[in-house]
Amino acid sequence: VESVGPGAQVRIAPGDRVPLDGKIVEGTTTLDQSMVTGESMPAEKGPGATVWAGTVNLTSTIEVTVTAAASQSLTARIIEAVENAQSSKSPVQRFVDKFAAVYTPIVFVVALCVAIVPPLFLGDWLGWLYKALCLLVIACPCALVISTPVTIVSALATATRYGLLIKGGLFLEEARKLTNIGLDKTGTLTKGEPEVAGITLLGGADRKQVLSLAASLGAMNKHPLSAAIVREAKKEHAEIQPVADFTALPGEGVTGRIGTGRASLLNLAALDKRGLSSDEVADAFNRASENGMSSVALADTFGVLAVFVMADEIKADTRSGLAQLKAEGITPWLLTGDNERAAHALAGKLGLENVNADLLPEAKLARIRELQGQGLTAMVGDGINDAPALAQADIGIAMGVRGTDSAIEAADIAVMDDRISSVATLVRLSRMTHSVLVQNIAFALGIKIIFTILAISGFATMWMAVFADTGTCLIVVANGMRLMRVKPKLDRMAAEVDRAAGTAPQTHVQTAAA
């Protein structure tokens, strides 16, 4: 692709990936754009329409005029945006490391002063040397330095039990401060593949017979909507029949002979063209469109038998996960490349108030930057279109199962079970971790201050100094390791939120108004 420049004309066969950005000059087809734009449903495109590098041609051969070189394609710009976003992050030094760097030389100087200055005026060189040695042992920063990594590693171990793979303790510590979270739609809140959400039967048609005819045609085709009909037919044990004279109708649907009659799966424009549409059929298509869903009609020679309504299935955990996030005081934002109707239809079902649709990758990146001005912001996504936003966000979270390599690479955390509720668990674990870190630091410093005063006053002995050092180390380590046993507590907290919100996870498919 590097040798192809703007103005070149390329032919793209069904099943091939679009190699470069361009415009269709001949042919009509269906494109899977989910990994670039986030649209859950395939897009119908004809002459004059824009196609993006990386999208997949599903149904028909098209000819495309290239509009941008490989280095200027949407995919290349996404990669550049990821690199720029990552390089703009400044490293945050840990408090304990900075404290120890100043604390240790100060303690050494104080001990030296204790060993030399008082004896010059009071005598008893051996006694003051003993006090100085006690002070050095007591003030050793081991407990301070070791408490942080032990606590973080214990928390990271617990995080893995929830399928959270975190690329460093910094992101675990920062998660407690989250105020906003951007959520991709397709593959994050939804499964990213259409399912039959409803069937409107017309003219007294039988449901099982309709499913059998539609699935027989669908089995001959690779279109995602056809595949959804086939899955539904298998669920209801409808028969898949042989199809003769099968023909794909570019931009319209498919047709074939089943038994002694001809059946077709057609869109509304194709029905109008053939004079098969009616007010009832048009209403079914319009209701589906208003709810952000896709439709296809099954028709025979005499008219339409049924209208199939397809919707992207909501993940079983989505409602619970959103309730968990809101319970932690985090504002969710739906940031999707899908169209306005589909985005607002999903937002209405999930109770999401903040929605931004039709966002290309650069627009998602810009929106995340705006949200960062309001407070610490996370981004959750799975596609290459989400990668720039994932890299820019204070905490990028990728869906590990469905997520693309680019998304997982750009993110700081991978959720290996693709559950939104795991993000809320991350926030709770972060707050617990911070609490234990504060406890350990306060305890270690408090013990050292008390025993330092005792040592200078002459009341502390060497065995007391050893306890103040080694004993404190053991106590803070034991306290930090408590985080390896907090899973039951985290589960109870999540269950309490689910009970209060009535959002126990369950499988749910968006249903059409029909």
Coordinates of all heavy atoms in Angstrom, one line a residue, residues 34-35 40 185-195 231 235 311-318 346 382 402 418 506-510:
S34 N -16.9 -1.4 12.2 CA -17.0 -1.3 13.6 C -15.6 -1.1 14.3 O -15.5 -0.4 15.3 CB -17.5 -2.6 14.2 OG -16.8 -3.7 13.8
M35 N -14.5 -1.6 13.7 CA -13.2 -1.4 14.3 C -12.6 0.0 14.1 O -11.6 0.4 14.7 CB -12.3 -2.5 13.8 CG -12.5 -3.8 14.4 SD -12.2 -3.8 16.2 CE -13.9 -3.8 16.9
S40 N -22.0 -0.4 15.2 CA -22.2 -1.9 15.5 C -22.9 -2.5 14.3 O -22.7 -3.7 14.0 CB -23.2 -2.0 16.7 OG -24.4 -1.3 16.4
K185 N -19.3 2.3 22.7 CA -20.5 1.6 22.6 C -20.3 0.2 22.2 O -20.5 -0.8 22.9 CB -21.5 2.3 21.7 CG -22.8 1.6 21.4 CD -23.7 2.4 20.4 CE -24.9 1.6 19.9 NZ -24.5 0.6 19.0
T186 N -19.9 0.0 20.9 CA -19.8 -1.3 20.3 C -18.7 -2.1 20.9 O -17.5 -1.7 20.8 CB -19.7 -1.2 18.8 OG1 -20.8 -0.4 18.3 CG2 -19.8 -2.6 18.1
G187 N -18.9 -3.3 21.5 CA -17.9 -4.1 22.0 C -17.6 -3.8 23.5 O -16.9 -4.5 24.1
T188 N -18.1 -2.6 24.0 CA -17.8 -2.3 25.3 C -19.1 -2.4 26.2 O -19.2 -3.1 27.1 CB -17.2 -0.8 25.4 OG1 -16.0 -0.8 24.7 CG2 -17.0 -0.4 26.9
L189 N -20.1 -1.6 25.7 CA -21.4 -1.7 26.4 C -22.3 -2.8 25.7 O -23.2 -3.4 26.3 CB -22.2 -0.4 26.3 CG -21.5 0.8 27.0 CD1 -22.3 2.1 26.9 CD2 -21.2 0.5 28.5
T190 N -22.0 -3.0 24.4 CA -22.8 -4.1 23.7 C -21.8 -5.1 23.2 O -20.6 -5.0 23.2 CB -23.5 -3.4 22.5 OG1 -22.5 -3.0 21.6 CG2 -24.4 -2.3 23.0
K191 N -22.4 -6.2 22.7 CA -21.6 -7.4 22.3 C -20.9 -7.1 20.9 O -20.0 -7.8 20.5 CB -22.4 -8.6 22.2 CG -22.8 -9.1 23.6 CD -23.4 -10.5 23.6 CE -23.7 -11.1 25.0 NZ -24.3 -12.4 24.9
G192 N -21.4 -6.2 20.2 CA -20.8 -5.8 18.9 C -21.3 -6.7 17.7 O -20.7 -6.7 16.7
E193 N -22.3 -7.5 17.9 CA -22.9 -8.3 16.8 C -24.4 -8.2 16.9 O -25.0 -8.3 18.0 CB -22.4 -9.7 16.9 CG -22.6 -10.4 18.1 CD -22.0 -11.8 18.2 OE1 -20.9 -12.0 17.6 OE2 -22.6 -12.7 18.7
P194 N -25.1 -8.1 15.8 CA -26.6 -7.9 15.8 C -27.3 -9.2 16.2 O -26.8 -10.3 15.9 CB -26.9 -7.5 14.4 CG -25.8 -8.0 13.5 CD -24.6 -8.0 14.4
E195 N -28.4 -9.1 16.9 CA -29.3 -10.2 17.2 C -30.7 -9.8 16.8 O -31.1 -8.6 16.8 CB -29.2 -10.5 18.7 CG -27.9 -11.0 19.2 CD -27.5 -12.4 18.7 OE1 -28.5 -13.1 18.4 OE2 -26.3 -12.7 18.7
R231 N -28.9 -17.5 13.5 CA -28.8 -17.9 14.9 C -30.1 -18.0 15.6 O -30.4 -18.9 16.4 CB -27.9 -16.9 15.6 CG -26.4 -17.0 15.3 CD -25.6 -16.2 16.3 NE -25.8 -14.7 16.2 CZ -25.2 -13.9 15.4 NH1 -24.3 -14.4 14.5 NH2 -25.5 -12.6 15.4
K235 N -32.0 -21.2 17.4 CA -32.6 -21.2 18.7 C -34.0 -21.8 18.8 O -34.4 -22.4 19.7 CB -32.6 -19.7 19.3 CG -31.2 -19.2 19.6 CD -31.4 -17.7 20.1 CE -30.1 -17.0 20.3 NZ -30.2 -15.6 20.6
A311 N -30.9 -5.7 16.5 CA -30.2 -4.8 17.4 C -29.0 -5.4 18.0 O -28.8 -6.6 18.1 CB -31.2 -4.4 18.6
D312 N -28.0 -4.5 18.3 CA -26.8 -5.0 19.0 C -27.2 -5.4 20.4 O -27.7 -4.6 21.2 CB -25.8 -3.8 19.0 CG -24.4 -4.3 19.3 OD1 -24.2 -5.5 19.6 OD2 -23.5 -3.5 19.3
E313 N -26.8 -6.6 20.8 CA -27.2 -7.1 22.1 C -26.4 -6.4 23.2 O -25.1 -6.3 23.2 CB -27.0 -8.6 22.2 CG -27.5 -9.2 23.5 CD -27.3 -10.7 23.5 OE1 -26.8 -11.3 22.5 OE2 -27.7 -11.3 24.4
I314 N -27.1 -5.9 24.3 CA -26.4 -5.3 25.4 C -25.8 -6.4 26.3 O -26.4 -7.5 26.5 CB -27.4 -4.5 26.3 CG1 -28.1 -3.4 25.5 CG2 -26.8 -4.0 27.5 CD1 -29.2 -2.7 26.2
K315 N -24.6 -6.2 26.7 CA -23.9 -7.2 27.5 C -24.6 -7.4 28.8 O -25.3 -6.4 29.4 CB -22.5 -6.7 27.9 CG -21.5 -6.8 26.7 CD -20.1 -6.4 27.1 CE -19.1 -6.4 26.0 NZ -17.8 -6.0 26.4
A316 N -24.6 -8.6 29.3 CA -25.3 -8.9 30.6 C -24.9 -8.1 31.7 O -25.7 -7.8 32.6 CB -25.1 -10.4 30.9
D317 N -23.7 -7.6 31.8 CA -23.1 -6.9 32.9 C -23.2 -5.4 32.8 O -23.0 -4.7 33.8 CB -21.6 -7.3 33.0 CG -20.9 -6.5 34.1 OD1 -21.2 -6.8 35.3 OD2 -20.1 -5.7 33.8
T318 N -23.7 -4.9 31.7 CA -23.6 -3.4 31.4 C -24.4 -2.6 32.4 O -23.9 -1.6 33.0 CB -24.1 -3.1 30.0 OG1 -23.2 -3.7 29.0 CG2 -24.1 -1.6 29.7
L346 N -29.7 3.5 22.7 CA -29.0 2.7 23.7 C -28.9 3.5 25.1 O -29.1 2.9 26.1 CB -27.5 2.4 23.3 CG -26.7 1.6 24.3 CD1 -27.2 0.2 24.5 CD2 -25.2 1.6 23.9
D382 N -12.4 -0.7 22.9 CA -11.9 -2.0 22.4 C -11.3 -2.0 21.0 O -10.7 -2.9 20.6 CB -13.0 -3.1 22.4 CG -14.1 -2.8 21.4 OD1 -14.6 -1.7 21.4 OD2 -14.4 -3.7 20.6
R402 N -12.4 -8.8 23.4 CA -12.8 -8.3 22.0 C -11.8 -7.3 21.5 O -11.7 -7.0 20.3 CB -14.2 -7.7 22.1 CG -14.7 -7.2 20.7 CD -16.0 -6.6 20.8 NE -16.3 -5.7 19.7 CZ -16.8 -6.2 18.5 NH1 -17.0 -7.5 18.4 NH2 -17.0 -5.3 17.5
D418 N -14.1 -8.5 30.0 CA -14.9 -7.5 29.3 C -16.1 -7.0 30.1 O -17.1 -6.6 29.6 CB -15.4 -8.1 28.0 CG -14.3 -8.0 26.9 OD1 -13.1 -7.8 27.2 OD2 -14.6 -8.3 25.7
Q506 N -28.0 -9.6 34.0 CA -28.8 -10.6 33.3 C -28.7 -10.4 31.9 O -28.4 -9.3 31.4 CB -30.2 -10.5 33.8 CG -30.8 -9.1 33.6 CD -32.2 -9.0 34.1 OE1 -32.9 -10.0 34.5 NE2 -32.8 -7.8 34.2
T507 N -28.9 -11.4 31.1 CA -28.8 -11.3 29.6 C -30.0 -10.5 29.1 O -31.2 -10.8 29.5 CB -28.8 -12.7 29.0 OG1 -27.7 -13.4 29.5 CG2 -28.7 -12.5 27.5
H508 N -29.8 -9.5 28.3 CA -30.9 -8.7 27.8 C -30.6 -8.3 26.4 O -29.5 -7.9 26.0 CB -31.0 -7.4 28.7 CG -32.1 -6.5 28.2 ND1 -33.4 -6.7 28.5 CD2 -32.1 -5.4 27.5 CE1 -34.2 -5.8 28.0 NE2 -33.4 -4.9 27.4
V509 N -31.7 -8.3 25.6 CA -31.6 -7.9 24.2 C -32.5 -6.7 24.0 O -33.6 -6.7 24.5 CB -32.0 -9.0 23.2 CG1 -31.9 -8.5 21.8 CG2 -31.1 -10.2 23.4
Q510 N -32.0 -5.7 23.4 CA -32.8 -4.5 23.1 C -34.0 -5.0 22.3 O -33.9 -5.8 21.3 CB -32.0 -3.5 22.2 CG -30.8 -2.9 23.0 CD -30.1 -1.9 22.1 OE1 -30.8 -1.2 21.4 NE2 -28.8 -1.9 22.2

